[in-house]
Short mmCIF file of all heavy atoms in Angstrom, two decimals:
data_model
loop_
_atom_site.label_atom_id
_atom_site.label_comp_id
_atom_site.label_asym_id
_atom_site.label_seq_id
_atom_site.Cartn_x
_atom_site.Cartn_y
_atom_site.Cartn_z
N MET A 1 -2.03 0.40 -10.15
CA MET A 1 -3.18 1.05 -9.69
C MET A 1 -4.47 0.69 -10.39
O MET A 1 -5.53 0.59 -9.85
CB MET A 1 -2.96 2.52 -9.63
CG MET A 1 -2.07 3.01 -8.46
SD MET A 1 -2.70 2.77 -6.82
CE MET A 1 -3.94 4.00 -6.69
N GLU A 2 -4.36 0.37 -11.71
CA GLU A 2 -5.47 0.18 -12.60
C GLU A 2 -6.10 -1.22 -12.20
O GLU A 2 -7.30 -1.39 -12.48
CB GLU A 2 -5.06 0.06 -13.97
CG GLU A 2 -4.49 1.33 -14.61
CD GLU A 2 -3.09 1.52 -14.25
OE1 GLU A 2 -2.37 0.65 -14.07
OE2 GLU A 2 -2.61 2.65 -14.03
N ALA A 3 -5.26 -2.06 -11.51
CA ALA A 3 -5.86 -3.33 -11.10
C ALA A 3 -6.82 -3.18 -9.97
O ALA A 3 -7.54 -4.18 -9.59
CB ALA A 3 -4.62 -4.21 -10.85
N PHE A 4 -6.92 -1.95 -9.34
CA PHE A 4 -7.63 -1.90 -8.09
C PHE A 4 -8.79 -0.75 -8.22
O PHE A 4 -8.53 0.25 -8.92
CB PHE A 4 -6.87 -1.54 -6.98
CG PHE A 4 -5.83 -2.61 -6.52
CD1 PHE A 4 -4.61 -2.76 -7.12
CD2 PHE A 4 -6.30 -3.62 -5.63
CE1 PHE A 4 -3.77 -3.64 -6.81
CE2 PHE A 4 -5.41 -4.68 -5.30
CZ PHE A 4 -4.03 -4.69 -5.89
N GLU A 5 -9.90 -0.99 -7.68
CA GLU A 5 -11.01 0.01 -7.65
C GLU A 5 -10.99 0.56 -6.20
O GLU A 5 -11.24 -0.17 -5.24
CB GLU A 5 -12.30 -0.70 -8.06
CG GLU A 5 -13.51 0.30 -7.97
CD GLU A 5 -14.95 -0.29 -8.07
OE1 GLU A 5 -14.77 -1.72 -8.24
OE2 GLU A 5 -15.91 0.25 -7.97
N LYS A 6 -10.76 1.90 -6.11
CA LYS A 6 -10.76 2.48 -4.84
C LYS A 6 -12.31 2.65 -4.29
O LYS A 6 -13.05 3.09 -5.14
CB LYS A 6 -10.15 3.94 -4.87
CG LYS A 6 -8.64 3.93 -4.60
CD LYS A 6 -8.15 5.39 -4.38
CE LYS A 6 -7.53 5.94 -5.47
NZ LYS A 6 -6.97 7.23 -5.34
N LEU A 7 -12.60 2.21 -2.97
CA LEU A 7 -13.86 2.30 -2.53
C LEU A 7 -13.98 3.43 -1.76
O LEU A 7 -15.00 4.31 -1.94
CB LEU A 7 -14.26 1.00 -1.81
CG LEU A 7 -14.14 -0.25 -2.66
CD1 LEU A 7 -14.49 -1.51 -1.91
CD2 LEU A 7 -15.24 -0.15 -3.93
N GLU A 8 -13.29 3.59 -0.62
CA GLU A 8 -13.33 4.81 0.27
C GLU A 8 -11.95 4.91 0.87
O GLU A 8 -11.38 3.84 1.22
CB GLU A 8 -14.51 4.79 1.16
CG GLU A 8 -14.38 3.90 2.40
CD GLU A 8 -15.30 2.60 2.29
OE1 GLU A 8 -16.16 2.62 1.32
OE2 GLU A 8 -15.00 1.73 2.96
N LYS A 9 -11.69 6.17 1.47
CA LYS A 9 -10.49 6.37 2.33
C LYS A 9 -10.76 5.88 3.67
O LYS A 9 -11.85 6.15 4.22
CB LYS A 9 -10.11 7.82 2.36
CG LYS A 9 -8.91 8.19 2.93
CD LYS A 9 -8.65 9.70 2.93
CE LYS A 9 -7.50 10.07 3.82
NZ LYS A 9 -7.36 11.61 4.02
N VAL A 10 -9.83 5.17 4.34
CA VAL A 10 -10.06 4.59 5.57
C VAL A 10 -9.09 5.22 6.58
O VAL A 10 -9.28 5.01 7.73
CB VAL A 10 -9.93 2.97 5.59
CG1 VAL A 10 -11.13 2.44 4.87
CG2 VAL A 10 -8.55 2.50 5.22
N GLY A 11 -7.99 5.82 6.11
CA GLY A 11 -7.12 6.44 7.13
C GLY A 11 -6.02 7.16 6.37
O GLY A 11 -5.87 7.05 5.19
N GLY A 12 -5.14 7.71 7.07
CA GLY A 12 -3.92 8.45 6.54
C GLY A 12 -2.92 8.49 7.61
O GLY A 12 -3.18 8.56 8.75
N GLY A 13 -1.61 8.44 7.15
CA GLY A 13 -0.54 8.40 8.07
C GLY A 13 0.30 9.53 7.65
O GLY A 13 0.06 10.40 6.74
N THR A 14 1.56 9.52 8.18
CA THR A 14 2.55 10.56 7.84
C THR A 14 2.96 10.56 6.35
O THR A 14 3.18 11.61 5.71
CB THR A 14 3.81 10.32 8.65
OG1 THR A 14 3.44 10.18 10.05
CG2 THR A 14 4.79 11.51 8.54
N TYR A 15 3.02 9.29 5.73
CA TYR A 15 3.49 9.20 4.47
C TYR A 15 2.53 8.98 3.38
O TYR A 15 2.83 8.70 2.16
CB TYR A 15 4.58 8.05 4.43
CG TYR A 15 5.65 8.36 5.46
CD1 TYR A 15 5.67 7.63 6.64
CD2 TYR A 15 6.69 9.37 5.33
CE1 TYR A 15 6.71 7.86 7.57
CE2 TYR A 15 7.60 9.61 6.10
CZ TYR A 15 7.65 8.85 7.26
OH TYR A 15 8.62 9.10 8.17
N GLY A 16 1.22 8.87 3.74
CA GLY A 16 0.25 8.66 2.56
C GLY A 16 -1.05 8.38 3.14
O GLY A 16 -1.42 8.56 4.22
N LYS A 17 -1.94 8.04 2.19
CA LYS A 17 -3.38 7.68 2.40
C LYS A 17 -3.63 6.24 2.24
O LYS A 17 -3.05 5.55 1.45
CB LYS A 17 -4.23 8.43 1.46
CG LYS A 17 -3.99 10.00 1.71
CD LYS A 17 -4.85 10.72 0.64
CE LYS A 17 -4.49 12.23 0.58
NZ LYS A 17 -5.04 13.03 -0.46
N VAL A 18 -4.64 5.66 3.00
CA VAL A 18 -4.98 4.26 2.94
C VAL A 18 -6.49 4.16 2.50
O VAL A 18 -7.37 4.89 3.12
CB VAL A 18 -4.80 3.45 4.24
CG1 VAL A 18 -5.19 2.08 4.11
CG2 VAL A 18 -3.34 3.65 4.68
N TYR A 19 -6.66 3.41 1.48
CA TYR A 19 -8.06 3.25 0.94
C TYR A 19 -8.52 1.73 1.15
O TYR A 19 -7.73 0.80 0.98
CB TYR A 19 -8.11 3.55 -0.49
CG TYR A 19 -7.76 5.04 -0.91
CD1 TYR A 19 -6.49 5.37 -1.06
CD2 TYR A 19 -8.64 6.07 -0.97
CE1 TYR A 19 -6.03 6.74 -1.32
CE2 TYR A 19 -8.41 7.30 -1.13
CZ TYR A 19 -6.99 7.70 -1.45
OH TYR A 19 -6.75 8.98 -1.61
N ARG A 20 -9.83 1.53 1.34
CA ARG A 20 -10.44 0.29 1.10
C ARG A 20 -10.59 0.07 -0.39
O ARG A 20 -11.07 1.02 -1.04
CB ARG A 20 -11.76 0.33 1.82
CG ARG A 20 -12.50 -1.07 1.76
CD ARG A 20 -13.67 -1.12 2.80
NE ARG A 20 -14.45 -2.20 2.64
CZ ARG A 20 -15.53 -2.23 1.98
NH1 ARG A 20 -16.05 -1.28 1.38
NH2 ARG A 20 -16.28 -3.44 1.85
N ALA A 21 -10.08 -0.90 -1.00
CA ALA A 21 -10.21 -1.09 -2.40
C ALA A 21 -10.54 -2.57 -2.87
O ALA A 21 -10.43 -3.44 -2.01
CB ALA A 21 -8.89 -0.72 -3.05
N ARG A 22 -10.85 -2.74 -4.05
CA ARG A 22 -11.16 -4.02 -4.57
C ARG A 22 -10.35 -4.39 -5.70
O ARG A 22 -10.13 -3.68 -6.57
CB ARG A 22 -12.68 -4.07 -5.03
CG ARG A 22 -13.14 -5.40 -5.54
CD ARG A 22 -14.60 -5.47 -6.23
NE ARG A 22 -15.49 -5.23 -5.29
CZ ARG A 22 -16.40 -4.06 -5.19
NH1 ARG A 22 -16.20 -3.16 -6.06
NH2 ARG A 22 -17.26 -3.89 -4.31
N GLU A 23 -9.73 -5.55 -5.59
CA GLU A 23 -8.90 -6.02 -6.74
C GLU A 23 -9.85 -6.47 -7.83
O GLU A 23 -10.61 -7.46 -7.65
CB GLU A 23 -7.91 -7.19 -6.35
CG GLU A 23 -6.92 -7.56 -7.35
CD GLU A 23 -6.03 -8.63 -6.99
OE1 GLU A 23 -6.45 -9.54 -6.08
OE2 GLU A 23 -4.96 -8.73 -7.55
N LYS A 24 -9.72 -5.81 -9.02
CA LYS A 24 -10.78 -6.04 -10.11
C LYS A 24 -10.78 -7.57 -10.52
O LYS A 24 -11.83 -8.10 -10.72
CB LYS A 24 -10.38 -5.22 -11.25
CG LYS A 24 -10.68 -3.71 -10.89
CD LYS A 24 -10.32 -2.87 -12.11
CE LYS A 24 -10.53 -1.28 -11.89
NZ LYS A 24 -9.83 -0.48 -12.82
N ALA A 25 -9.52 -8.15 -10.59
CA ALA A 25 -9.49 -9.51 -11.15
C ALA A 25 -10.19 -10.58 -10.23
O ALA A 25 -10.68 -11.46 -10.74
CB ALA A 25 -8.06 -9.87 -11.45
N THR A 26 -10.02 -10.36 -8.93
CA THR A 26 -10.49 -11.40 -7.93
C THR A 26 -11.67 -10.91 -7.15
O THR A 26 -12.26 -11.75 -6.58
CB THR A 26 -9.36 -11.82 -7.01
OG1 THR A 26 -8.96 -10.63 -6.24
CG2 THR A 26 -8.18 -12.20 -7.86
N GLY A 27 -11.91 -9.66 -7.10
CA GLY A 27 -13.03 -9.15 -6.16
C GLY A 27 -12.55 -9.06 -4.75
O GLY A 27 -13.32 -8.64 -3.86
N LEU A 28 -11.41 -9.36 -4.52
CA LEU A 28 -10.70 -9.36 -3.08
C LEU A 28 -10.76 -7.87 -2.59
O LEU A 28 -10.28 -6.99 -3.22
CB LEU A 28 -9.36 -9.81 -3.27
CG LEU A 28 -8.70 -10.31 -1.81
CD1 LEU A 28 -9.36 -11.50 -1.17
CD2 LEU A 28 -7.23 -10.56 -2.09
N ILE A 29 -11.24 -7.75 -1.30
CA ILE A 29 -11.12 -6.45 -0.59
C ILE A 29 -9.82 -6.32 0.01
O ILE A 29 -9.26 -7.16 0.78
CB ILE A 29 -12.25 -6.19 0.39
CG1 ILE A 29 -13.72 -6.26 -0.28
CG2 ILE A 29 -12.10 -4.96 1.18
CD1 ILE A 29 -13.95 -5.31 -1.32
N VAL A 30 -9.07 -5.22 -0.36
CA VAL A 30 -7.75 -4.97 0.30
C VAL A 30 -7.62 -3.57 0.88
O VAL A 30 -8.54 -2.75 0.63
CB VAL A 30 -6.66 -5.14 -0.79
CG1 VAL A 30 -6.72 -6.57 -1.51
CG2 VAL A 30 -6.79 -4.11 -1.89
N ALA A 31 -6.58 -3.36 1.65
CA ALA A 31 -6.13 -1.97 2.02
C ALA A 31 -5.12 -1.61 1.03
O ALA A 31 -4.15 -2.14 0.89
CB ALA A 31 -5.58 -1.93 3.39
N LEU A 32 -5.34 -0.40 0.41
CA LEU A 32 -4.44 0.15 -0.66
C LEU A 32 -3.84 1.34 -0.07
O LEU A 32 -4.42 2.21 0.33
CB LEU A 32 -5.25 0.38 -1.88
CG LEU A 32 -4.54 0.91 -3.06
CD1 LEU A 32 -3.75 -0.20 -3.68
CD2 LEU A 32 -5.61 1.33 -4.14
N LYS A 33 -2.53 1.30 0.13
CA LYS A 33 -1.80 2.56 0.73
C LYS A 33 -1.08 3.28 -0.55
O LYS A 33 -0.25 2.66 -1.21
CB LYS A 33 -0.82 2.00 1.66
CG LYS A 33 -0.01 3.15 2.38
CD LYS A 33 0.68 2.65 3.53
CE LYS A 33 1.51 3.76 4.25
NZ LYS A 33 2.05 3.45 5.43
N LYS A 34 -1.35 4.53 -0.50
CA LYS A 34 -0.78 5.35 -1.72
C LYS A 34 0.17 6.29 -0.99
O LYS A 34 -0.15 7.15 -0.17
CB LYS A 34 -1.96 6.15 -2.30
CG LYS A 34 -1.42 6.85 -3.61
CD LYS A 34 -2.60 7.56 -4.17
CE LYS A 34 -2.19 8.35 -5.36
NZ LYS A 34 -3.37 8.97 -6.03
N THR A 35 1.41 6.14 -1.27
CA THR A 35 2.50 7.09 -0.62
C THR A 35 3.07 7.97 -1.56
O THR A 35 2.94 7.91 -2.76
CB THR A 35 3.69 6.16 -0.17
OG1 THR A 35 4.29 5.58 -1.28
CG2 THR A 35 3.29 5.12 0.85
N ARG A 36 3.56 9.06 -1.08
CA ARG A 36 4.11 10.15 -1.96
C ARG A 36 5.52 9.86 -2.26
O ARG A 36 6.39 9.54 -1.45
CB ARG A 36 4.08 11.45 -1.15
CG ARG A 36 2.61 12.12 -0.89
CD ARG A 36 2.79 13.45 -0.19
NE ARG A 36 3.11 13.27 1.18
CZ ARG A 36 2.30 13.01 2.18
NH1 ARG A 36 1.01 12.93 2.00
NH2 ARG A 36 2.78 12.92 3.30
N LEU A 37 5.67 9.76 -3.55
CA LEU A 37 7.14 9.38 -4.08
C LEU A 37 7.62 10.73 -4.65
O LEU A 37 7.05 11.50 -5.29
CB LEU A 37 7.01 8.46 -5.15
CG LEU A 37 6.57 6.94 -4.76
CD1 LEU A 37 6.43 6.10 -5.97
CD2 LEU A 37 7.44 6.35 -3.76
N HIS A 38 8.92 10.91 -4.17
CA HIS A 38 9.65 12.19 -4.75
C HIS A 38 10.67 11.67 -5.82
O HIS A 38 11.45 10.92 -5.64
CB HIS A 38 10.47 12.80 -3.60
CG HIS A 38 9.49 13.18 -2.43
ND1 HIS A 38 8.65 14.25 -2.59
CD2 HIS A 38 9.30 12.58 -1.22
CE1 HIS A 38 7.99 14.30 -1.36
NE2 HIS A 38 8.40 13.38 -0.67
N GLU A 39 10.40 12.26 -7.02
CA GLU A 39 11.21 11.93 -8.17
C GLU A 39 12.61 12.18 -7.92
O GLU A 39 13.48 11.49 -8.61
CB GLU A 39 10.66 12.67 -9.38
CG GLU A 39 9.27 12.20 -9.88
CD GLU A 39 8.71 12.98 -10.99
OE1 GLU A 39 9.32 13.71 -11.56
OE2 GLU A 39 7.52 12.79 -11.28
N ASP A 40 12.96 13.04 -7.08
CA ASP A 40 14.49 13.32 -6.93
C ASP A 40 15.19 12.30 -6.07
O ASP A 40 16.41 12.46 -5.95
CB ASP A 40 14.65 14.75 -6.49
CG ASP A 40 13.95 15.10 -5.12
OD1 ASP A 40 13.07 14.25 -4.90
OD2 ASP A 40 14.22 16.11 -4.51
N GLU A 41 14.35 11.37 -5.45
CA GLU A 41 15.03 10.41 -4.55
C GLU A 41 15.17 9.12 -5.41
O GLU A 41 14.26 8.43 -5.60
CB GLU A 41 14.24 10.15 -3.36
CG GLU A 41 14.26 11.43 -2.38
CD GLU A 41 13.41 11.08 -1.10
OE1 GLU A 41 13.85 10.28 -0.35
OE2 GLU A 41 12.38 11.72 -0.96
N GLU A 42 16.39 8.81 -5.70
CA GLU A 42 16.64 7.56 -6.59
C GLU A 42 16.21 6.29 -5.85
O GLU A 42 16.53 6.05 -4.72
CB GLU A 42 18.10 7.51 -6.93
CG GLU A 42 18.34 6.53 -7.99
CD GLU A 42 19.88 6.55 -8.27
OE1 GLU A 42 20.49 7.56 -8.19
OE2 GLU A 42 20.37 5.40 -8.54
N GLY A 43 15.25 5.50 -6.55
CA GLY A 43 14.95 4.19 -5.91
C GLY A 43 13.69 4.38 -5.02
O GLY A 43 13.09 3.40 -4.33
N GLY A 44 13.24 5.65 -4.60
CA GLY A 44 12.13 5.87 -3.71
C GLY A 44 12.53 6.27 -2.34
O GLY A 44 13.70 6.11 -1.88
N PRO A 45 11.64 6.83 -1.61
CA PRO A 45 11.97 7.31 -0.18
C PRO A 45 12.44 6.13 0.66
O PRO A 45 11.77 5.15 0.66
CB PRO A 45 10.60 7.92 0.23
CG PRO A 45 9.69 7.87 -0.96
CD PRO A 45 10.23 7.06 -1.94
N PRO A 46 13.43 6.31 1.53
CA PRO A 46 13.83 5.38 2.35
C PRO A 46 12.68 4.81 3.19
O PRO A 46 12.77 3.48 3.54
CB PRO A 46 14.97 6.08 3.18
CG PRO A 46 15.32 7.12 2.38
CD PRO A 46 14.18 7.59 1.57
N THR A 47 11.89 5.61 3.77
CA THR A 47 10.88 5.06 4.68
C THR A 47 9.87 4.08 3.97
O THR A 47 9.51 3.14 4.54
CB THR A 47 10.03 6.21 5.38
OG1 THR A 47 9.63 7.14 4.31
CG2 THR A 47 10.79 6.85 6.30
N THR A 48 9.48 4.48 2.74
CA THR A 48 8.73 3.49 1.97
C THR A 48 9.39 2.11 1.70
O THR A 48 8.71 1.08 1.78
CB THR A 48 8.20 4.27 0.67
OG1 THR A 48 7.65 5.46 0.96
CG2 THR A 48 7.30 3.35 -0.18
N LEU A 49 10.57 2.15 1.34
CA LEU A 49 11.43 1.09 1.02
C LEU A 49 11.52 0.19 2.27
O LEU A 49 11.45 -1.05 2.23
CB LEU A 49 12.79 1.38 0.51
CG LEU A 49 12.72 2.02 -0.95
CD1 LEU A 49 14.14 2.50 -1.31
CD2 LEU A 49 12.24 1.22 -1.96
N CYS A 50 11.67 0.88 3.35
CA CYS A 50 11.82 0.13 4.72
C CYS A 50 10.50 -0.55 4.98
O CYS A 50 10.53 -1.79 5.40
CB CYS A 50 12.14 1.11 5.78
SG CYS A 50 12.43 0.38 7.31
N GLU A 51 9.35 0.12 4.86
CA GLU A 51 8.16 -0.62 5.12
C GLU A 51 7.80 -1.69 4.14
O GLU A 51 7.31 -2.79 4.59
CB GLU A 51 6.94 0.48 4.86
CG GLU A 51 5.67 0.02 5.29
CD GLU A 51 4.55 1.03 5.57
OE1 GLU A 51 5.01 2.30 5.75
OE2 GLU A 51 3.38 0.73 5.54
N ILE A 52 8.21 -1.54 2.81
CA ILE A 52 7.97 -2.66 1.84
C ILE A 52 8.89 -3.84 2.34
O ILE A 52 8.37 -5.01 2.39
CB ILE A 52 8.47 -2.19 0.47
CG1 ILE A 52 7.33 -1.25 -0.04
CG2 ILE A 52 8.52 -3.48 -0.46
CD1 ILE A 52 7.58 -0.45 -1.38
N SER A 53 10.10 -3.61 2.73
CA SER A 53 11.05 -4.81 3.18
C SER A 53 10.44 -5.47 4.37
O SER A 53 10.57 -6.64 4.49
CB SER A 53 12.50 -4.33 3.32
OG SER A 53 12.57 -3.47 4.37
N ILE A 54 9.77 -4.72 5.29
CA ILE A 54 9.25 -5.36 6.52
C ILE A 54 7.97 -6.30 6.00
O ILE A 54 7.83 -7.35 6.53
CB ILE A 54 8.87 -4.28 7.49
CG1 ILE A 54 10.16 -3.58 8.15
CG2 ILE A 54 8.04 -4.89 8.62
CD1 ILE A 54 9.99 -2.38 8.97
N LEU A 55 7.16 -5.67 5.12
CA LEU A 55 6.02 -6.40 4.66
C LEU A 55 6.40 -7.70 3.96
O LEU A 55 5.85 -8.63 4.11
CB LEU A 55 5.10 -5.54 3.84
CG LEU A 55 4.46 -4.40 4.55
CD1 LEU A 55 3.76 -3.48 3.50
CD2 LEU A 55 3.15 -5.06 5.28
N ARG A 56 7.47 -7.62 3.17
CA ARG A 56 8.05 -8.77 2.58
C ARG A 56 8.52 -9.86 3.60
O ARG A 56 8.27 -11.04 3.24
CB ARG A 56 9.31 -8.33 1.67
CG ARG A 56 8.94 -7.49 0.39
CD ARG A 56 10.17 -7.32 -0.44
NE ARG A 56 10.64 -8.52 -1.11
CZ ARG A 56 10.98 -8.61 -2.33
NH1 ARG A 56 11.06 -7.49 -3.08
NH2 ARG A 56 11.41 -9.65 -2.76
N MET A 57 9.01 -9.48 4.65
CA MET A 57 9.45 -10.33 5.64
C MET A 57 8.24 -11.04 6.29
O MET A 57 8.28 -12.26 6.68
CB MET A 57 10.27 -9.72 6.83
CG MET A 57 11.64 -9.43 6.45
SD MET A 57 12.61 -8.86 7.76
CE MET A 57 12.37 -7.22 7.76
N LEU A 58 7.10 -10.25 6.33
CA LEU A 58 5.89 -10.83 6.91
C LEU A 58 5.03 -11.60 5.93
O LEU A 58 3.95 -12.01 6.17
CB LEU A 58 5.11 -9.72 7.56
CG LEU A 58 5.73 -8.91 8.66
CD1 LEU A 58 4.83 -7.70 9.01
CD2 LEU A 58 6.02 -9.84 9.77
N GLY A 59 5.54 -11.72 4.59
CA GLY A 59 4.77 -12.12 3.44
C GLY A 59 4.14 -13.50 3.49
O GLY A 59 3.33 -13.79 2.51
N ARG A 60 4.37 -14.33 4.44
CA ARG A 60 3.85 -15.62 4.40
C ARG A 60 2.31 -15.63 4.90
O ARG A 60 1.55 -16.50 4.81
CB ARG A 60 4.63 -16.66 5.27
CG ARG A 60 5.88 -17.03 4.60
CD ARG A 60 6.49 -18.12 5.33
NE ARG A 60 7.89 -18.28 4.81
CZ ARG A 60 8.95 -17.62 5.36
NH1 ARG A 60 8.85 -16.74 6.23
NH2 ARG A 60 10.17 -17.83 4.77
N ASP A 61 1.93 -14.47 5.54
CA ASP A 61 0.59 -14.41 6.08
C ASP A 61 -0.39 -14.04 4.85
O ASP A 61 -0.20 -13.18 4.06
CB ASP A 61 0.41 -13.16 7.09
CG ASP A 61 -0.83 -13.17 7.80
OD1 ASP A 61 -1.84 -13.06 7.11
OD2 ASP A 61 -0.86 -13.23 9.07
N PRO A 62 -1.57 -14.87 4.90
CA PRO A 62 -2.39 -14.66 3.70
C PRO A 62 -3.05 -13.27 3.67
O PRO A 62 -3.51 -12.86 2.60
CB PRO A 62 -3.46 -15.82 3.87
CG PRO A 62 -3.39 -16.15 5.29
CD PRO A 62 -1.95 -15.89 5.72
N ASP A 63 -3.05 -12.51 4.83
CA ASP A 63 -3.58 -11.16 4.84
C ASP A 63 -2.55 -10.13 4.46
O ASP A 63 -2.97 -8.95 4.44
CB ASP A 63 -4.16 -10.86 6.17
CG ASP A 63 -5.49 -11.62 6.46
OD1 ASP A 63 -6.21 -11.99 5.45
OD2 ASP A 63 -5.79 -11.88 7.72
N ILE A 64 -1.47 -10.50 4.15
CA ILE A 64 -0.41 -9.48 3.78
C ILE A 64 0.01 -9.70 2.27
O ILE A 64 0.32 -10.77 1.89
CB ILE A 64 0.82 -9.55 4.56
CG1 ILE A 64 0.32 -9.25 6.02
CG2 ILE A 64 1.95 -8.57 4.12
CD1 ILE A 64 1.48 -9.29 7.03
N VAL A 65 -0.14 -8.70 1.37
CA VAL A 65 0.21 -8.76 0.10
C VAL A 65 1.61 -9.18 -0.17
O VAL A 65 2.57 -8.74 0.64
CB VAL A 65 -0.04 -7.44 -0.75
CG1 VAL A 65 -1.56 -7.19 -0.81
CG2 VAL A 65 0.84 -6.29 -0.19
N ARG A 66 1.97 -9.70 -1.32
CA ARG A 66 3.34 -10.10 -1.73
C ARG A 66 3.85 -9.05 -2.66
O ARG A 66 3.09 -8.73 -3.58
CB ARG A 66 3.41 -11.47 -2.26
CG ARG A 66 3.26 -12.49 -1.16
CD ARG A 66 2.87 -13.82 -1.79
NE ARG A 66 2.64 -14.85 -0.59
CZ ARG A 66 1.56 -14.87 0.15
NH1 ARG A 66 0.51 -14.08 -0.19
NH2 ARG A 66 1.32 -15.74 1.05
N PHE A 67 5.06 -8.69 -2.65
CA PHE A 67 5.66 -7.69 -3.59
C PHE A 67 6.58 -8.36 -4.49
O PHE A 67 7.21 -9.35 -4.10
CB PHE A 67 6.36 -6.56 -2.89
CG PHE A 67 5.50 -5.69 -2.06
CD1 PHE A 67 5.29 -6.00 -0.64
CD2 PHE A 67 4.86 -4.57 -2.59
CE1 PHE A 67 4.49 -5.17 0.10
CE2 PHE A 67 4.10 -3.75 -1.73
CZ PHE A 67 3.90 -4.11 -0.40
N1 ATP B 1 -4.58 -3.01 6.46
C1 ATP B 1 -5.44 -1.94 6.88
N2 ATP B 1 -6.80 -2.06 7.09
C2 ATP B 1 -7.49 -1.15 7.67
N3 ATP B 1 -7.00 0.13 7.85
C3 ATP B 1 -5.83 0.43 7.65
C4 ATP B 1 -4.93 -0.65 7.17
N4 ATP B 1 -3.68 -0.13 7.01
C5 ATP B 1 -3.84 1.18 7.49
N5 ATP B 1 -5.19 1.44 7.76
C6 ATP B 1 -5.60 2.79 8.33
O1 ATP B 1 -4.97 3.82 7.65
C7 ATP B 1 -4.16 4.55 8.76
C8 ATP B 1 -2.85 5.03 8.20
O2 ATP B 1 -1.99 3.93 8.04
P1 ATP B 1 -0.47 4.13 7.64
O3 ATP B 1 0.11 2.81 7.71
O4 ATP B 1 -0.41 4.97 6.51
O5 ATP B 1 0.02 5.12 8.81
P2 ATP B 1 0.38 4.80 10.34
O6 ATP B 1 1.60 3.81 10.41
O7 ATP B 1 -0.90 4.56 11.19
O8 ATP B 1 0.93 6.18 10.87
P3 ATP B 1 2.28 6.88 10.51
O9 ATP B 1 2.76 6.61 9.15
O10 ATP B 1 1.96 8.27 10.72
O11 ATP B 1 3.10 6.31 11.63
C9 ATP B 1 -4.17 3.74 9.98
O12 ATP B 1 -4.14 4.40 11.19
C10 ATP B 1 -5.48 2.95 9.83
O13 ATP B 1 -6.52 3.68 10.31
#
């Protein structure tokens, strides 16, 4: 999170908030999604892991971040 500067909130879904943000190193404007993580769920919430795995599958698009 320290690598990004939050600019403003652009939306919110069931699982978290989405911010317009700037990557400090490159100046790139990105959508930053902050999800609620529950410490008692080992490895993270299933819905968040599912979304990350789908984004990884789409990872060849230059507009989608790589994990
Ligand atoms: N890449 C993006 N660029 C601009 N706005 C975005 C982006 N991603 C999300 N948003 C905004 O944030 C909102 C919430 O997105 P998020 O992915 O958290 O939830 P959702 O999938 O829309 O809803 P839910 O999780 O409830 O099904 C979106 O409706 C949209 O307004």
Side-chain angles (χ1 to χ4, degrees):
M1 285 293 286
E2 300 77 34
F4 297 90
E5 176 192 356
K6 271 195 250 177
L7 300 175
E8 73 255 347
K9 188 179 168 191
V10 294
T14 309
Y15 302 105
K17 297 173 186 167
V18 177
Y19 297 89
R20 183 167 172 267
R22 181 185 293 113
E23 188 178 27
K24 291 176 185 169
T26 62
L28 193 69
I29 298 296
V30 299
L32 185 68
K33 184 167 177 175
K34 188 174 180 185
T35 61
R36 289 183 290 274
L37 294 174
H38 301 287
E39 288 175 10
D40 56 344
E41 292 184 61
E42 193 175 329
T47 45
T48 301
L49 295 177
C50 182
E51 186 163 341
I52 289 171
S53 66
I54 291 168
L55 286 169
R56 286 181 72 135
M57 282 192 265
L58 300 172
R60 288 188 191 87
D61 188 300
D63 286 336
I64 297 176
V65 293
R66 288 163 183 78
F67 293 93

